[in-house]
Amino acid sequence: MPSAAGSPAGAVRRAAVLGSPIAHSLSPVLHAAAYEALGLTAWSYTRVECAEEGLAGFVGALGPEWAGLSLTMPLKRAALGVATEVSPEAAAIGAANTLLLAPGRRRAENTDAPGMADALREAGLRSASAPLLLGAGGTAQAALAALAGPVPLAAAPVTALVRSPHRAAELRTTAERLGITLDVRPLDEAPSRVATADLVISTLPKGAADPLAHAALRPAAVVFDVVYDPWPTALAAAAAAAGCRVVSGLDLLLHQAGHQVRLMTGRPAPIEAMRAALALAR
């Protein structure tokens, strides 16, 4: 789909992050840093408070100067309903965090999955033989897509530990769409499962993974906690102390934004400039 690719540096273009609540979002820091580094002087990126019921009306009222939208909770599933096109990855996950806009067209994309994959590879992960996923929500579904490819990071079935196994239907559906073998277990098995995992991805909400700080961790494991405030989490601190390679939610935020910048502007994302801006904002 055509987006802003090829737009001259001086062409007025707009983008924004939508969600509710949204005042805390660091996305404007990342995108503004990218625009500056790319010389896109007439581009702007803002925050917009938007609940699920207001998404369709907001998107329908946008003018031709709009290049795209970043979408956070609670809009990631609703985005599929306002799109005219859905990428295969967003369809498999069942959620989108990006809308690319062009006259008469709205393409839903999910950059959380490739962003996760980038963050894991940056930490040195090449292939996990005992991957463990904590949680069953939308971020967990994106994590499955990250592990599935296009260059797979999981060389074995994925074990998912969830608080309510009977509520993991959407996670199972995503695994089926992606061709991943998924073993769903109750979260109370976490201490023993963590001890044998070479990759632990926690998509649990703030504080929910804290009890695992007392579990044994493999020193060579990669531990990815998608929470970034506060940081380090108890799990991340314990993983670092055990000698694990640790990935944070800020790493995910950075890399998923990099993919959004590329899709919206048609330019390679200036990741290091974005990383520096994020560090200053924190």
Side-chain angles (χ1 to χ4, degrees):
M1 169 188 177
S3 64
S7 296
V12 174
R13 301 292 280 168
R14 298 184 65 186
V17 58
L18 274 60
S20 184
I22 201 61
H24 67 286
S25 174
L26 293 170
S27 291
V29 171
L30 290 162
H31 286 256
Y35 299 163
E36 182 178 3
L38 293 171
L40 299 175
T41 56
W43 283 61
S44 67
Y45 187 100
T46 56
R47 299 180 186 89
V48 177
E49 183 79 18
C50 183
E52 187 172 348
E53 60 271 18
L55 180 61
F58 180 86
V59 173
L62 297 180
E65 74 277 14
W66 283 84
L69 301 173
S70 307
L71 303 167
T72 186
M73 297 304 294
L75 305 177
K76 292 186 177 184
R77 298 196 191 283
L80 301 183
V82 302
T84 59
E85 303 173 16
V86 178
S87 73
E89 194 158 60
I93 295 168
N97 73 333
T98 308
L99 277 177
L100 302 179
L101 305 174
R105 304 176 74 183
R106 307 166 187 162
R107 181 174 174 85
E109 296 273 358
N110 192 303
T111 69
D112 284 332
M116 282 186 169
D118 288 351
L120 288 168
R121 288 194 175 92
E122 191 173 65
L125 182 71
R126 294 296 174 264
S127 181
S129 59
L132 181 66
L133 177 62
L134 309 179
T139 306
Q141 290 170 264
L144 286 181
L147 295 177
V151 179
L153 287 171
V158 177
T159 299
L161 304 184
V162 303
R163 287 176 288 185
S164 302
H166 66 281
R167 296 176 61 186
E170 290 179 342
L171 189 68
R172 289 189 174 96
T173 297
T174 293
E176 290 172 4
R177 289 170 178 160
L178 295 168
I180 288 180
T181 300
L182 185 69
D183 183 17
V184 178
R185 301 281 182 169
L187 187 58
D188 58 16
E189 293 186 15
S192 61
R193 297 279 180 176
V194 164
T196 60
D198 60 351
L199 170 64
V200 178
I201 302 177
S202 174
T203 68
L204 298 174
K206 184 186 302 185
D210 286 358
L212 294 180
H214 305 292
L217 289 159
R218 289 173 59 174
V222 174
V223 176
F224 188 172
D225 193 334
V226 302
V227 173
Y228 62 81
D229 185 20
W231 188 263
T233 62
L235 174 60
C244 301
R245 290 165 287 171
V246 179
V247 183
S248 82
L250 284 176
D251 299 311
L252 168 58
L253 186 66
L254 169 65
H255 287 288
Q256 64 81 28
H259 284 280
Q260 289 180 335
V261 167
R262 174 181 56 80
L263 289 168
M264 292 182 192
T265 70
R267 313 279 188 88
I271 289 294
E272 293 311 315
M274 296 167 70
R275 194 194 309 273
L278 185 60
L280 287 175
R282 293 293 295 163

